[in-house]
Amino acid sequence: MAAQDFYGSVSLAVSTVIFALKDRALWVPLVRREREPYKGTWALPGGPLSPGRNLPDSALSTLEATTGLTPSYLEQLYAWGNPERSGGDGHVVSVVYWAALSSTPDQEAKGVAWFPVDGLPSLAFDHAEILDYAVARLRRKVAYSRIAHSFMPETFTLTELREAHEAIVGHPLDPANFARQFRSSPALIDTGRHREGTPFRPPRLYRYDSSLTYADDGALARASSAPDDTQDPTC
Amino acid sequence: MAAQDFYGSVSLAVSTVIFALKDRALWVPLVRREREPYKGTWALPGGPLSPGRNLPDSALSTLEATTGLTPSYLEQLYAWGNPERSGGDGHVVSVVYWAALSSTPDQEAKGVAWFPVDGLPSLAFDHAEILDYAVARLRRKVAYSRIAHSFMPETFTLTELREAHEAIVGHPLDPANFARQFRSSPALIDTGRHREGTPFRPPRLYRYDSSLTYADDGALARASSAPDDTQDPTC
């Protein structure tokens, strides 16, 4: 039997690796699969691409369905297309996005749970490989871009910014070196205000200069809003 | 009418931007479209993804059909999926690869012609945008990786390597600075031999240390060979 007969046709899915910082670590939401293959195991949120819908719109809609939140950053990661990757469920090519959130949701959607990237459960399909790749990309990117910005609230102290960097790279950074490097960044603006509720030497509050664009502003710049699809949040 | 009805289903194509150096410039092969939409205009080589076939295998097969050559480098570039991009021919998502060749073919395949990237004809679909993006990626990458290697023959002089870099970035480079920077590279090996047929101070021949891997070895590392498909070389 030719591969073409066995696989029938190629279908396309969009999945999203959603990162947020919590408890000084990097976390991702996963979705428990409700059907075979891999029923009961955890998977990246995603679903089939609806005809007529943009790839980033599909990623944003998955994000909304999974977390109820809007990302501060969205970028196409890679397309995975190995015919064997779908566990007998046909030939599925997944275009994967990664997103950064500046907070985690107060309440989790049904079937969704958050995990620290250093303590992931067993994952369906090739999603462990995809997550590894996404974490590696984020860790590389934080070294040369302002991507940490996407994880921060509107204003923040230098200590909070360093802790965000530490959570992303997964190891401590020298506070003095970090402060020196970031105080000289033209993208970081001193608000003139200080963190309230800290009686002794309250730390300065900074914000990012939003008039500067990212080195790579990813697909979000091209995304337009589209009506929400009803879709299986796993793929 | 809902977008889903209008577009029917999503189909998946793989296209490849194939770069080679010729006459101190960067060239790409394009394929003349034999049917609507955009009949008679030039397009990137590519075709529908056959069920059961890997994405990089599909890119390699397009490359073989278009040039008869095997690439020295192949990397996934990006996936384009705007529903309007196919000119009324349904919703086609194209996963695009880019490849480097160390030579151009002696003879062109039927319907194929090579163009310098600074003198491209009008292109079908969104292929002008895709080509711009591929050229920008290559130019960025040559600054921090050994990607120029992929365009070189087995052995080469420093002048030839500089000319390759100049062809890629599109402007002249300082010969002394270039020589200093590249002589100190651990990846560049002095073969001890000299360019023949140069009577006065024949220049040294270098080769790359192939035991070192690329900073990003792209999808080629994961590609496996697969039987050739008969496919429309444009999409």
Side-chain angles (χ1 to χ4, degrees), chain A residues 7-10 12 49 51-54 76 78-79 82-83 91 93 129 219, chain B residues 7-10 12 49 51-55 76 78-79 82-83 91 93 219 222:
Chain A
Y7 284 103
S9 64
V10 178
L12 203 122
L49 180 69
R53 164 165 276 201
N54 268 328
Q76 195 184 101
Y78 201 76
N82 190 311
H91 186 174
V93 174
E129 177 193 326
Chain B
Y7 285 103
S9 64
V10 178
L12 202 123
L49 180 68
R53 165 165 275 202
N54 267 327
L55 297 170
Q76 195 184 101
Y78 200 77
N82 190 311
H91 186 174
V93 174
R222 277 180 265 165

PDB file of all heavy atoms in Angstrom, chain A residues 7-10 12 49 51-54 76 78-79 82-83 91 93 129 219, chain B residues 7-10 12 49 51-55 76 78-79 82-83 91 93 219 222:
ATOM      1  N   TYR A   7      -2.303   7.281   4.280  1.00  0.00           N
ATOM      2  CA  TYR A   7      -2.529   8.531   4.998  1.00  0.00           C
ATOM      3  C   TYR A   7      -3.739   9.318   4.509  1.00  0.00           C
ATOM      4  O   TYR A   7      -4.214  10.218   5.173  1.00  0.00           O
ATOM      5  CB  TYR A   7      -1.268   9.410   4.952  1.00  0.00           C
ATOM      6  CG  TYR A   7      -0.196   8.916   5.888  1.00  0.00           C
ATOM      7  CD1 TYR A   7       0.915   8.218   5.419  1.00  0.00           C
ATOM      8  CD2 TYR A   7      -0.318   9.126   7.252  1.00  0.00           C
ATOM      9  CE1 TYR A   7       1.890   7.753   6.292  1.00  0.00           C
ATOM     10  CE2 TYR A   7       0.652   8.666   8.123  1.00  0.00           C
ATOM     11  CZ  TYR A   7       1.759   7.984   7.644  1.00  0.00           C
ATOM     12  OH  TYR A   7       2.700   7.534   8.502  1.00  0.00           O
ATOM     13  N   GLY A   8      -4.236   8.983   3.317  1.00  0.00           N
ATOM     14  CA  GLY A   8      -5.435   9.651   2.817  1.00  0.00           C
ATOM     15  C   GLY A   8      -5.156  11.070   2.383  1.00  0.00           C
ATOM     16  O   GLY A   8      -4.916  11.336   1.218  1.00  0.00           O
ATOM     17  N   SER A   9      -5.172  11.991   3.332  1.00  0.00           N
ATOM     18  CA  SER A   9      -4.887  13.375   2.970  1.00  0.00           C
ATOM     19  C   SER A   9      -4.145  14.047   4.115  1.00  0.00           C
ATOM     20  O   SER A   9      -4.045  13.509   5.211  1.00  0.00           O
ATOM     21  CB  SER A   9      -6.187  14.118   2.670  1.00  0.00           C
ATOM     22  OG  SER A   9      -6.957  14.162   3.846  1.00  0.00           O
ATOM     23  N   VAL A  10      -3.616  15.218   3.829  1.00  0.00           N
ATOM     24  CA  VAL A  10      -2.889  15.973   4.840  1.00  0.00           C
ATOM     25  C   VAL A  10      -3.851  16.955   5.503  1.00  0.00           C
ATOM     26  O   VAL A  10      -4.603  17.633   4.802  1.00  0.00           O
ATOM     27  CB  VAL A  10      -1.728  16.753   4.194  1.00  0.00           C
ATOM     28  CG1 VAL A  10      -1.000  17.588   5.237  1.00  0.00           C
ATOM     29  CG2 VAL A  10      -0.769  15.813   3.481  1.00  0.00           C
ATOM     30  N   LEU A  12      -4.286  20.151   8.523  1.00  0.00           N
ATOM     31  CA  LEU A  12      -3.470  21.175   9.141  1.00  0.00           C
ATOM     32  C   LEU A  12      -4.034  21.640  10.476  1.00  0.00           C
ATOM     33  O   LEU A  12      -5.214  21.933  10.588  1.00  0.00           O
ATOM     34  CB  LEU A  12      -3.336  22.368   8.191  1.00  0.00           C
ATOM     35  CG  LEU A  12      -2.085  23.157   8.552  1.00  0.00           C
ATOM     36  CD1 LEU A  12      -1.155  23.240   7.379  1.00  0.00           C
ATOM     37  CD2 LEU A  12      -2.427  24.503   9.078  1.00  0.00           C
ATOM     38  N   LEU A  49      -7.020  23.943  11.662  1.00  0.00           N
ATOM     39  CA  LEU A  49      -7.170  25.277  11.086  1.00  0.00           C
ATOM     40  C   LEU A  49      -8.471  25.327  10.306  1.00  0.00           C
ATOM     41  O   LEU A  49      -8.690  24.521   9.391  1.00  0.00           O
ATOM     42  CB  LEU A  49      -5.995  25.590  10.147  1.00  0.00           C
ATOM     43  CG  LEU A  49      -6.049  26.966   9.493  1.00  0.00           C
ATOM     44  CD1 LEU A  49      -5.829  28.077  10.515  1.00  0.00           C
ATOM     45  CD2 LEU A  49      -5.030  27.081   8.372  1.00  0.00           C
ATOM     46  N   PRO A  51     -10.948  26.570   7.498  1.00  0.00           N
ATOM     47  CA  PRO A  51     -10.772  27.209   6.185  1.00  0.00           C
ATOM     48  C   PRO A  51     -11.171  28.679   6.260  1.00  0.00           C
ATOM     49  O   PRO A  51     -12.187  29.013   6.866  1.00  0.00           O
ATOM     50  CB  PRO A  51     -11.731  26.431   5.286  1.00  0.00           C
ATOM     51  CG  PRO A  51     -11.926  25.120   5.964  1.00  0.00           C
ATOM     52  CD  PRO A  51     -11.819  25.385   7.434  1.00  0.00           C
ATOM     53  N   GLY A  52     -10.350  29.543   5.677  1.00  0.00           N
ATOM     54  CA  GLY A  52     -10.653  30.966   5.670  1.00  0.00           C
ATOM     55  C   GLY A  52     -10.108  31.724   6.861  1.00  0.00           C
ATOM     56  O   GLY A  52     -10.249  32.941   6.936  1.00  0.00           O
ATOM     57  N   ARG A  53      -9.471  31.026   7.790  1.00  0.00           N
ATOM     58  CA  ARG A  53      -8.937  31.705   8.980  1.00  0.00           C
ATOM     59  C   ARG A  53      -7.413  31.804   8.893  1.00  0.00           C
ATOM     60  O   ARG A  53      -6.724  30.877   8.450  1.00  0.00           O
ATOM     61  CB  ARG A  53      -9.342  30.904  10.219  1.00  0.00           C
ATOM     62  CG  ARG A  53      -8.561  31.251  11.461  1.00  0.00           C
ATOM     63  CD  ARG A  53      -9.208  30.724  12.708  1.00  0.00           C
ATOM     64  NE  ARG A  53     -10.227  31.652  13.154  1.00  0.00           N
ATOM     65  CZ  ARG A  53     -10.693  31.706  14.400  1.00  0.00           C
ATOM     66  NH1 ARG A  53     -10.258  30.855  15.295  1.00  0.00           N
ATOM     67  NH2 ARG A  53     -11.589  32.594  14.738  1.00  0.00           N
ATOM     68  N   ASN A  54      -6.888  32.941   9.328  1.00  0.00           N
ATOM     69  CA  ASN A  54      -5.434  33.137   9.400  1.00  0.00           C
ATOM     70  C   ASN A  54      -4.793  32.222  10.429  1.00  0.00           C
ATOM     71  O   ASN A  54      -5.404  31.918  11.450  1.00  0.00           O
ATOM     72  CB  ASN A  54      -5.153  34.570   9.889  1.00  0.00           C
ATOM     73  CG  ASN A  54      -5.003  35.538   8.757  1.00  0.00           C
ATOM     74  OD1 ASN A  54      -4.538  35.162   7.693  1.00  0.00           O
ATOM     75  ND2 ASN A  54      -5.398  36.777   8.987  1.00  0.00           N
ATOM     76  N   GLN A  76       5.316  32.852  15.344  1.00  0.00           N
ATOM     77  CA  GLN A  76       5.338  31.509  14.768  1.00  0.00           C
ATOM     78  C   GLN A  76       6.645  30.833  15.140  1.00  0.00           C
ATOM     79  O   GLN A  76       7.719  31.435  15.007  1.00  0.00           O
ATOM     80  CB  GLN A  76       5.197  31.584  13.255  1.00  0.00           C
ATOM     81  CG  GLN A  76       4.839  30.250  12.624  1.00  0.00           C
ATOM     82  CD  GLN A  76       4.804  30.305  11.096  1.00  0.00           C
ATOM     83  OE1 GLN A  76       5.728  29.884  10.415  1.00  0.00           O
ATOM     84  NE2 GLN A  76       3.739  30.862  10.563  1.00  0.00           N
ATOM     85  N   TYR A  78       7.485  27.055  14.425  1.00  0.00           N
ATOM     86  CA  TYR A  78       7.982  26.058  13.476  1.00  0.00           C
ATOM     87  C   TYR A  78       6.781  25.232  13.029  1.00  0.00           C
ATOM     88  O   TYR A  78       5.752  25.213  13.712  1.00  0.00           O
ATOM     89  CB  TYR A  78       9.000  25.148  14.185  1.00  0.00           C
ATOM     90  CG  TYR A  78       9.942  24.407  13.278  1.00  0.00           C
ATOM     91  CD1 TYR A  78      11.008  25.061  12.672  1.00  0.00           C
ATOM     92  CD2 TYR A  78       9.774  23.042  13.023  1.00  0.00           C
ATOM     93  CE1 TYR A  78      11.883  24.377  11.845  1.00  0.00           C
ATOM     94  CE2 TYR A  78      10.653  22.352  12.192  1.00  0.00           C
ATOM     95  CZ  TYR A  78      11.707  23.026  11.611  1.00  0.00           C
ATOM     96  OH  TYR A  78      12.571  22.357  10.793  1.00  0.00           O
ATOM     97  N   ALA A  79       6.919  24.537  11.894  1.00  0.00           N
ATOM     98  CA  ALA A  79       5.881  23.611  11.453  1.00  0.00           C
ATOM     99  C   ALA A  79       6.413  22.187  11.586  1.00  0.00           C
ATOM    100  O   ALA A  79       7.502  21.885  11.091  1.00  0.00           O
ATOM    101  CB  ALA A  79       5.476  23.895  10.013  1.00  0.00           C
ATOM    102  N   ASN A  82       6.074  15.474  10.315  1.00  0.00           N
ATOM    103  CA  ASN A  82       6.371  14.051  10.151  1.00  0.00           C
ATOM    104  C   ASN A  82       5.066  13.238  10.074  1.00  0.00           C
ATOM    105  O   ASN A  82       4.207  13.376  10.944  1.00  0.00           O
ATOM    106  CB  ASN A  82       7.218  13.598  11.350  1.00  0.00           C
ATOM    107  CG  ASN A  82       7.779  12.209  11.153  1.00  0.00           C
ATOM    108  OD1 ASN A  82       7.053  11.278  10.791  1.00  0.00           O
ATOM    109  ND2 ASN A  82       9.070  12.073  11.369  1.00  0.00           N
ATOM    110  N   PRO A  83       4.905  12.389   9.043  1.00  0.00           N
ATOM    111  CA  PRO A  83       3.639  11.660   8.882  1.00  0.00           C
ATOM    112  C   PRO A  83       3.306  10.766  10.073  1.00  0.00           C
ATOM    113  O   PRO A  83       2.133  10.498  10.336  1.00  0.00           O
ATOM    114  CB  PRO A  83       3.881  10.797   7.638  1.00  0.00           C
ATOM    115  CG  PRO A  83       5.035  11.398   6.933  1.00  0.00           C
ATOM    116  CD  PRO A  83       5.866  12.095   7.966  1.00  0.00           C
ATOM    117  N   HIS A  91      -2.234  12.136   8.554  1.00  0.00           N
ATOM    118  CA  HIS A  91      -1.039  12.970   8.426  1.00  0.00           C
ATOM    119  C   HIS A  91      -1.415  14.398   8.795  1.00  0.00           C
ATOM    120  O   HIS A  91      -2.044  15.108   8.020  1.00  0.00           O
ATOM    121  CB  HIS A  91      -0.506  12.876   7.003  1.00  0.00           C
ATOM    122  CG  HIS A  91       0.805  13.578   6.801  1.00  0.00           C
ATOM    123  ND1 HIS A  91       1.511  13.513   5.626  1.00  0.00           N
ATOM    124  CD2 HIS A  91       1.558  14.354   7.624  1.00  0.00           C
ATOM    125  CE1 HIS A  91       2.624  14.226   5.742  1.00  0.00           C
ATOM    126  NE2 HIS A  91       2.664  14.745   6.941  1.00  0.00           N
ATOM    127  N   VAL A  93      -0.099  18.114   9.810  1.00  0.00           N
ATOM    128  CA  VAL A  93       0.979  19.092   9.912  1.00  0.00           C
ATOM    129  C   VAL A  93       0.522  20.153  10.915  1.00  0.00           C
ATOM    130  O   VAL A  93      -0.558  20.721  10.772  1.00  0.00           O
ATOM    131  CB  VAL A  93       1.279  19.741   8.552  1.00  0.00           C
ATOM    132  CG1 VAL A  93       2.293  20.874   8.691  1.00  0.00           C
ATOM    133  CG2 VAL A  93       1.792  18.688   7.559  1.00  0.00           C
ATOM    134  N   GLU A 129       8.781  17.253  22.382  1.00  0.00           N
ATOM    135  CA  GLU A 129       9.822  17.806  21.496  1.00  0.00           C
ATOM    136  C   GLU A 129       9.503  19.259  21.142  1.00  0.00           C
ATOM    137  O   GLU A 129      10.389  20.129  21.143  1.00  0.00           O
ATOM    138  CB  GLU A 129       9.916  16.943  20.229  1.00  0.00           C
ATOM    139  CG  GLU A 129      10.912  17.463  19.191  1.00  0.00           C
ATOM    140  CD  GLU A 129      10.751  16.778  17.832  1.00  0.00           C
ATOM    141  OE1 GLU A 129      10.415  15.574  17.803  1.00  0.00           O
ATOM    142  OE2 GLU A 129      10.948  17.453  16.797  1.00  0.00           O
ATOM    143  N   ALA A 219       4.335  37.319  14.335  1.00  0.00           N
ATOM    144  CA  ALA A 219       3.136  37.309  13.511  1.00  0.00           C
ATOM    145  C   ALA A 219       2.038  38.184  14.101  1.00  0.00           C
ATOM    146  O   ALA A 219       1.074  38.498  13.424  1.00  0.00           O
ATOM    147  CB  ALA A 219       2.646  35.884  13.352  1.00  0.00           C
TER     148      ALA A 219
ATOM    149  N   TYR B   7     -14.187  28.749   1.408  1.00  0.00           N
ATOM    150  CA  TYR B   7     -12.855  28.182   1.225  1.00  0.00           C
ATOM    151  C   TYR B   7     -12.848  26.653   1.158  1.00  0.00           C
ATOM    152  O   TYR B   7     -11.869  26.063   0.737  1.00  0.00           O
ATOM    153  CB  TYR B   7     -11.907  28.664   2.329  1.00  0.00           C
ATOM    154  CG  TYR B   7     -11.479  30.097   2.130  1.00  0.00           C
ATOM    155  CD1 TYR B   7     -12.028  31.115   2.872  1.00  0.00           C
ATOM    156  CD2 TYR B   7     -10.537  30.400   1.152  1.00  0.00           C
ATOM    157  CE1 TYR B   7     -11.625  32.430   2.672  1.00  0.00           C
ATOM    158  CE2 TYR B   7     -10.141  31.715   0.945  1.00  0.00           C
ATOM    159  CZ  TYR B   7     -10.687  32.729   1.712  1.00  0.00           C
ATOM    160  OH  TYR B   7     -10.287  34.010   1.503  1.00  0.00           O
ATOM    161  N   GLY B   8     -13.933  26.022   1.592  1.00  0.00           N
ATOM    162  CA  GLY B   8     -14.023  24.558   1.503  1.00  0.00           C
ATOM    163  C   GLY B   8     -13.120  23.868   2.486  1.00  0.00           C
ATOM    164  O   GLY B   8     -13.531  23.493   3.564  1.00  0.00           O
ATOM    165  N   SER B   9     -11.855  23.712   2.136  1.00  0.00           N
ATOM    166  CA  SER B   9     -10.926  23.072   3.063  1.00  0.00           C
ATOM    167  C   SER B   9      -9.559  23.718   2.928  1.00  0.00           C
ATOM    168  O   SER B   9      -9.301  24.468   2.002  1.00  0.00           O
ATOM    169  CB  SER B   9     -10.846  21.576   2.778  1.00  0.00           C
ATOM    170  OG  SER B   9     -10.300  21.375   1.497  1.00  0.00           O
ATOM    171  N   VAL B  10      -8.700  23.397   3.881  1.00  0.00           N
ATOM    172  CA  VAL B  10      -7.344  23.938   3.860  1.00  0.00           C
ATOM    173  C   VAL B  10      -6.436  22.923   3.175  1.00  0.00           C
ATOM    174  O   VAL B  10      -6.503  21.729   3.472  1.00  0.00           O
ATOM    175  CB  VAL B  10      -6.844  24.171   5.305  1.00  0.00           C
ATOM    176  CG1 VAL B  10      -5.411  24.680   5.299  1.00  0.00           C
ATOM    177  CG2 VAL B  10      -7.755  25.148   6.036  1.00  0.00           C
ATOM    178  N   LEU B  12      -2.278  22.009   1.918  1.00  0.00           N
ATOM    179  CA  LEU B  12      -0.932  22.330   2.346  1.00  0.00           C
ATOM    180  C   LEU B  12       0.081  22.146   1.226  1.00  0.00           C
ATOM    181  O   LEU B  12       0.089  21.118   0.548  1.00  0.00           O
ATOM    182  CB  LEU B  12      -0.549  21.457   3.540  1.00  0.00           C
ATOM    183  CG  LEU B  12       0.579  22.130   4.311  1.00  0.00           C
ATOM    184  CD1 LEU B  12       0.193  22.345   5.737  1.00  0.00           C
ATOM    185  CD2 LEU B  12       1.840  21.355   4.188  1.00  0.00           C
ATOM    186  N   LEU B  49       1.825  19.052  -0.565  1.00  0.00           N
ATOM    187  CA  LEU B  49       2.466  18.027   0.252  1.00  0.00           C
ATOM    188  C   LEU B  49       1.718  16.708   0.057  1.00  0.00           C
ATOM    189  O   LEU B  49       0.513  16.631   0.286  1.00  0.00           O
ATOM    190  CB  LEU B  49       2.435  18.419   1.730  1.00  0.00           C
ATOM    191  CG  LEU B  49       3.089  17.419   2.681  1.00  0.00           C
ATOM    192  CD1 LEU B  49       4.594  17.369   2.477  1.00  0.00           C
ATOM    193  CD2 LEU B  49       2.766  17.734   4.134  1.00  0.00           C
ATOM    194  N   PRO B  51       0.405  13.146   1.071  1.00  0.00           N
ATOM    195  CA  PRO B  51       0.168  12.465   2.347  1.00  0.00           C
ATOM    196  C   PRO B  51       1.252  11.415   2.600  1.00  0.00           C
ATOM    197  O   PRO B  51       1.634  10.677   1.692  1.00  0.00           O
ATOM    198  CB  PRO B  51      -1.193  11.793   2.139  1.00  0.00           C
ATOM    199  CG  PRO B  51      -1.857  12.578   1.073  1.00  0.00           C
ATOM    200  CD  PRO B  51      -0.759  13.055   0.165  1.00  0.00           C
ATOM    201  N   GLY B  52       1.761  11.361   3.802  1.00  0.00           N
ATOM    202  CA  GLY B  52       2.780  10.376   4.143  1.00  0.00           C
ATOM    203  C   GLY B  52       4.197  10.844   3.894  1.00  0.00           C
ATOM    204  O   GLY B  52       5.153  10.127   4.183  1.00  0.00           O
ATOM    205  N   ARG B  53       4.361  12.038   3.372  1.00  0.00           N
ATOM    206  CA  ARG B  53       5.708  12.535   3.093  1.00  0.00           C
ATOM    207  C   ARG B  53       6.112  13.611   4.104  1.00  0.00           C
ATOM    208  O   ARG B  53       5.317  14.462   4.470  1.00  0.00           O
ATOM    209  CB  ARG B  53       5.732  13.099   1.671  1.00  0.00           C
ATOM    210  CG  ARG B  53       6.931  13.958   1.374  1.00  0.00           C
ATOM    211  CD  ARG B  53       7.110  14.185  -0.102  1.00  0.00           C
ATOM    212  NE  ARG B  53       7.854  13.080  -0.685  1.00  0.00           N
ATOM    213  CZ  ARG B  53       8.525  13.156  -1.833  1.00  0.00           C
ATOM    214  NH1 ARG B  53       8.504  14.258  -2.536  1.00  0.00           N
ATOM    215  NH2 ARG B  53       9.187  12.121  -2.285  1.00  0.00           N
ATOM    216  N   ASN B  54       7.376  13.569   4.500  1.00  0.00           N
ATOM    217  CA  ASN B  54       7.931  14.601   5.375  1.00  0.00           C
ATOM    218  C   ASN B  54       7.988  15.959   4.686  1.00  0.00           C
ATOM    219  O   ASN B  54       8.206  16.020   3.477  1.00  0.00           O
ATOM    220  CB  ASN B  54       9.391  14.252   5.708  1.00  0.00           C
ATOM    221  CG  ASN B  54       9.499  13.462   6.990  1.00  0.00           C
ATOM    222  OD1 ASN B  54       8.709  13.666   7.894  1.00  0.00           O
ATOM    223  ND2 ASN B  54      10.481  12.585   7.037  1.00  0.00           N
ATOM    224  N   LEU B  55       7.917  17.043   5.456  1.00  0.00           N
ATOM    225  CA  LEU B  55       8.067  18.379   4.871  1.00  0.00           C
ATOM    226  C   LEU B  55       9.441  18.565   4.208  1.00  0.00           C
ATOM    227  O   LEU B  55       9.507  19.000   3.056  1.00  0.00           O
ATOM    228  CB  LEU B  55       7.857  19.450   5.948  1.00  0.00           C
ATOM    229  CG  LEU B  55       6.466  19.521   6.598  1.00  0.00           C
ATOM    230  CD1 LEU B  55       6.492  20.457   7.803  1.00  0.00           C
ATOM    231  CD2 LEU B  55       5.432  20.002   5.590  1.00  0.00           C
ATOM    232  N   GLN B  76      13.853  25.184   7.373  1.00  0.00           N
ATOM    233  CA  GLN B  76      12.489  25.699   7.300  1.00  0.00           C
ATOM    234  C   GLN B  76      12.503  27.200   7.566  1.00  0.00           C
ATOM    235  O   GLN B  76      13.169  27.653   8.492  1.00  0.00           O
ATOM    236  CB  GLN B  76      11.611  25.000   8.333  1.00  0.00           C
ATOM    237  CG  GLN B  76      10.135  25.211   8.075  1.00  0.00           C
ATOM    238  CD  GLN B  76       9.264  24.589   9.164  1.00  0.00           C
ATOM    239  OE1 GLN B  76       8.769  25.284  10.059  1.00  0.00           O
ATOM    240  NE2 GLN B  76       9.095  23.292   9.114  1.00  0.00           N
ATOM    241  N   TYR B  78       9.381  29.561   7.176  1.00  0.00           N
ATOM    242  CA  TYR B  78       8.170  30.118   7.783  1.00  0.00           C
ATOM    243  C   TYR B  78       6.979  29.459   7.090  1.00  0.00           C
ATOM    244  O   TYR B  78       7.110  28.940   5.993  1.00  0.00           O
ATOM    245  CB  TYR B  78       8.150  31.634   7.550  1.00  0.00           C
ATOM    246  CG  TYR B  78       7.258  32.430   8.486  1.00  0.00           C
ATOM    247  CD1 TYR B  78       7.669  32.693   9.782  1.00  0.00           C
ATOM    248  CD2 TYR B  78       6.023  32.922   8.069  1.00  0.00           C
ATOM    249  CE1 TYR B  78       6.859  33.425  10.657  1.00  0.00           C
ATOM    250  CE2 TYR B  78       5.215  33.648   8.925  1.00  0.00           C
ATOM    251  CZ  TYR B  78       5.645  33.906  10.216  1.00  0.00           C
ATOM    252  OH  TYR B  78       4.855  34.637  11.072  1.00  0.00           O
ATOM    253  N   ALA B  79       5.815  29.530   7.743  1.00  0.00           N
ATOM    254  CA  ALA B  79       4.585  29.066   7.099  1.00  0.00           C
ATOM    255  C   ALA B  79       3.697  30.269   6.806  1.00  0.00           C
ATOM    256  O   ALA B  79       3.443  31.077   7.697  1.00  0.00           O
ATOM    257  CB  ALA B  79       3.850  28.075   8.002  1.00  0.00           C
ATOM    258  N   ASN B  82      -2.294  33.072   5.045  1.00  0.00           N
ATOM    259  CA  ASN B  82      -3.408  33.988   4.828  1.00  0.00           C
ATOM    260  C   ASN B  82      -4.403  33.384   3.823  1.00  0.00           C
ATOM    261  O   ASN B  82      -4.005  32.967   2.743  1.00  0.00           O
ATOM    262  CB  ASN B  82      -2.852  35.311   4.298  1.00  0.00           C
ATOM    263  CG  ASN B  82      -3.896  36.394   4.278  1.00  0.00           C
ATOM    264  OD1 ASN B  82      -5.007  36.190   3.784  1.00  0.00           O
ATOM    265  ND2 ASN B  82      -3.560  37.546   4.838  1.00  0.00           N
ATOM    266  N   PRO B  83      -5.697  33.336   4.166  1.00  0.00           N
ATOM    267  CA  PRO B  83      -6.663  32.684   3.266  1.00  0.00           C
ATOM    268  C   PRO B  83      -6.734  33.327   1.878  1.00  0.00           C
ATOM    269  O   PRO B  83      -7.072  32.651   0.899  1.00  0.00           O
ATOM    270  CB  PRO B  83      -8.000  32.854   3.986  1.00  0.00           C
ATOM    271  CG  PRO B  83      -7.677  33.169   5.400  1.00  0.00           C
ATOM    272  CD  PRO B  83      -6.336  33.825   5.408  1.00  0.00           C
ATOM    273  N   HIS B  91      -7.929  27.821   0.171  1.00  0.00           N
ATOM    274  CA  HIS B  91      -7.070  28.257   1.274  1.00  0.00           C
ATOM    275  C   HIS B  91      -5.842  27.345   1.322  1.00  0.00           C
ATOM    276  O   HIS B  91      -5.915  26.204   1.747  1.00  0.00           O
ATOM    277  CB  HIS B  91      -7.861  28.177   2.585  1.00  0.00           C
ATOM    278  CG  HIS B  91      -7.130  28.739   3.768  1.00  0.00           C
ATOM    279  ND1 HIS B  91      -7.694  28.869   5.012  1.00  0.00           N
ATOM    280  CD2 HIS B  91      -5.865  29.220   3.906  1.00  0.00           C
ATOM    281  CE1 HIS B  91      -6.822  29.386   5.854  1.00  0.00           C
ATOM    282  NE2 HIS B  91      -5.700  29.597   5.205  1.00  0.00           N
ATOM    283  N   VAL B  93      -2.076  26.765   2.732  1.00  0.00           N
ATOM    284  CA  VAL B  93      -0.991  27.111   3.649  1.00  0.00           C
ATOM    285  C   VAL B  93       0.306  26.570   3.049  1.00  0.00           C
ATOM    286  O   VAL B  93       0.389  25.395   2.715  1.00  0.00           O
ATOM    287  CB  VAL B  93      -1.226  26.498   5.047  1.00  0.00           C
ATOM    288  CG1 VAL B  93      -0.022  26.734   5.959  1.00  0.00           C
ATOM    289  CG2 VAL B  93      -2.487  27.069   5.681  1.00  0.00           C
ATOM    290  N   ALA B 219      16.478  21.752   9.118  1.00  0.00           N
ATOM    291  CA  ALA B 219      15.687  20.546   8.995  1.00  0.00           C
ATOM    292  C   ALA B 219      16.440  19.449   8.249  1.00  0.00           C
ATOM    293  O   ALA B 219      16.049  18.297   8.290  1.00  0.00           O
ATOM    294  CB  ALA B 219      14.387  20.861   8.275  1.00  0.00           C
ATOM    295  N   ARG B 222      17.279  16.298   9.944  1.00  0.00           N
ATOM    296  CA  ARG B 222      16.198  15.357  10.226  1.00  0.00           C
ATOM    297  C   ARG B 222      15.625  14.736   8.953  1.00  0.00           C
ATOM    298  O   ARG B 222      14.799  13.847   9.015  1.00  0.00           O
ATOM    299  CB  ARG B 222      15.073  16.081  10.974  1.00  0.00           C
ATOM    300  CG  ARG B 222      15.334  16.166  12.467  1.00  0.00           C
ATOM    301  CD  ARG B 222      14.208  16.894  13.155  1.00  0.00           C
ATOM    302  NE  ARG B 222      14.516  18.294  13.325  1.00  0.00           N
ATOM    303  CZ  ARG B 222      13.618  19.212  13.624  1.00  0.00           C
ATOM    304  NH1 ARG B 222      12.366  18.883  13.740  1.00  0.00           N
ATOM    305  NH2 ARG B 222      13.981  20.463  13.787  1.00  0.00           N
TER     306      ARG B 222
END
